[in-house]
Amino acid sequence: MPEISTLSEGIFEITRGKKQLATRNLDPGTTVYGEKLFSVEGSEYRTWDPRRSKLGAMVLKKFKIPLKRDSKVLYLGAASGTTVSHVSDIVSDGAVYAVEFSPRTMRDLIGLAARRRNVYPILADAGKPGTYAHLVEPVDVVFQDVAQPNQAEIAARNAARYLKSDGHLLLAIKARSIDTAANPKQVFRDEVKKLEQAFEPKFEILNARDLKPYHEDHLGVLAKLKE
Amino acid sequence: MKLEAWFGTLDLCEDGKVLASDLFSKNVRELALRSLSLREPGKGIPPAGFELRSAALACGFVESPEEYDFLLHEVTLEAAKLQVSGAITPDQRIILAVEALDDINETVNVLSERLSEWYGGYFPESGLSGEALALFVAKYGSRKNVDPENPLSAKAADSMGAELETLDEALIKGFATSVCSLYDRRKQIEAYIESSMENIAPNLSLLAGPMLGARLISIAGSLKKLAAFPSSTIQVIGANKALFKHLRSRAPSPKHGIIYSHPMINTAPWWQRGKISRAVAAKLALAARMDLYSGEKVPSLAEKLDAKVQQIRAMNPEPPQKKQGDGMKSKPKGKKKRRQ
Ligand SMILES: C[S@@+](CC[C@H](N)C(=O)[O-])C[C@H]1O[C@@H](n2cnc3c(N)ncnc32)[C@H](O)[C@@H]1O
């Protein structure tokens, strides 16, 4: 029988020989991207591959994950829903507003959302937060993984509109989306500085570290609004 | 202040209280369509931090947070589905058909060769191949069954091929029937491409022919991208090996673009081909732009191209004199045949 321990609300570590990250499956019996299913004490868990998910990597890099069972999340860059599915597991009584702008990818995300009542698929450009203002309520967490050059600005503009004053911003910053030649460390410093100073609202960085060895040239950032 | 939410238009007073509201019916499809119409942000974007959920409860659109969740979930799903299905534009449907056609061609060639080899042992004199062979085998099976009216009946009667036993005959007949149905599928796809091309790119279709036109769109990625290419690019589209991957089967020589399969170019003598292909490419570029922007068929385009090509032929009746070291060594010398 695998052993299970809680790392953070809704996030677990399964030990069965080796340790693996997992969430409790909101859609029992179904896997999303080939992850394993385990039953422990009457609940089904899905393993969570940190190499496939920047949020998963952030958990292992000891970020304090600000997600609770009833959290509302605005997720920018949902792609086909690998990470969204785990967020959906974690915020089982909350909501994941999943924004993605590629119609092709959205097709997969729709399949996922049809099976998960707390995932709201939105085909839109996260760079234009006003285009989904008629759908999205204020949220506890803005999560962003769009891998675009202006990712910090996109995060800030969405936070300005949707983040509750005590909410958190979680960001994956990809060094190569910004400047392919520059030194990633320098890129990360610049992006963090932008978040602290360049936009309205300004952020207070709570944690920022790279996501090695799970993702190369990626920085994870946890921030909240500056008072 | 008036604002637009997914469930209706709200009138708010200063402190954010809902004064009045114009709510919609709880019909998922209507709500989804309306949600899509609100994507273009104009007036009435809810202010930052606006509590949509409490407003929906306060004005009585829904009775509980659960109902809000449920309806919004249905509406976002429906809206996303509508958007995604609208995202396959007619030119993309053509591209998908071209890709399917390439796959079928590849398969049909492999299977036809297999049939030819297989049946060759039983009736080597048939002289048939491809679809004709598949039809023959599917119809008769063993050459013994060929009816006397069939032109091959005499050959079949004194063929030196082996006897086809019942079990093998059933197998090979079934195989041939599958090959026939692939040939039918191919015709169906070709007909689809022809009629779609006539609708979305009538000028390109007229000048290039529907199949070549569809392939140009396919390699460019969309009609819009094709229309943005200068004619010099159109002239070499498909020459790049990497771009060639979905042209596997009927691929023309890779050193030229696929427009070299155009009848005006591939029937021209070698010394005229460069000039004619430039003229064709220039008119195709124009045709693609007309198709994108007006969609009206302009027959004079074809006439102009004809005239231009006639002129090139008239002005270059003879192969140019071979200059020293001009790289024409491989071309046949003294090929003086004149095109009428
Ligand atoms: C690195 S992937 C996200 C992977 C995903 N977060 C996961 O872990 O499963 C980035 C995604 O963001 C999307 N994207 C990029 N720019 C965007 C934008 N401006 N608005 C919305 N989505 C965007 C891309 O289409 C792509 O699917």
Side-chain angles (χ1 to χ4, degrees), chain A residues 52-55 75-85 99-103 105 122-128 132 143-148 150 154 174 215 218:
Chain A
R52 300 278 301 269
S53 166
K54 278 142 232 162
L55 184 60
Y75 192 118
L76 310 170
S80 49
T82 306
T83 301
V84 169
S85 70
V99 178
E100 170 57 52
F101 78 169
S102 147
T105 322
I122 298 173
L123 181 69
D125 179 354
K128 297 178 184 155
Y132 39 91
F143 180 87
Q144 165 177 286
D145 182 13
V146 294
Q148 291 289 313
N150 56 342
I154 291 180
K174 183 179 172 189
H215 299 272
H218 274 85

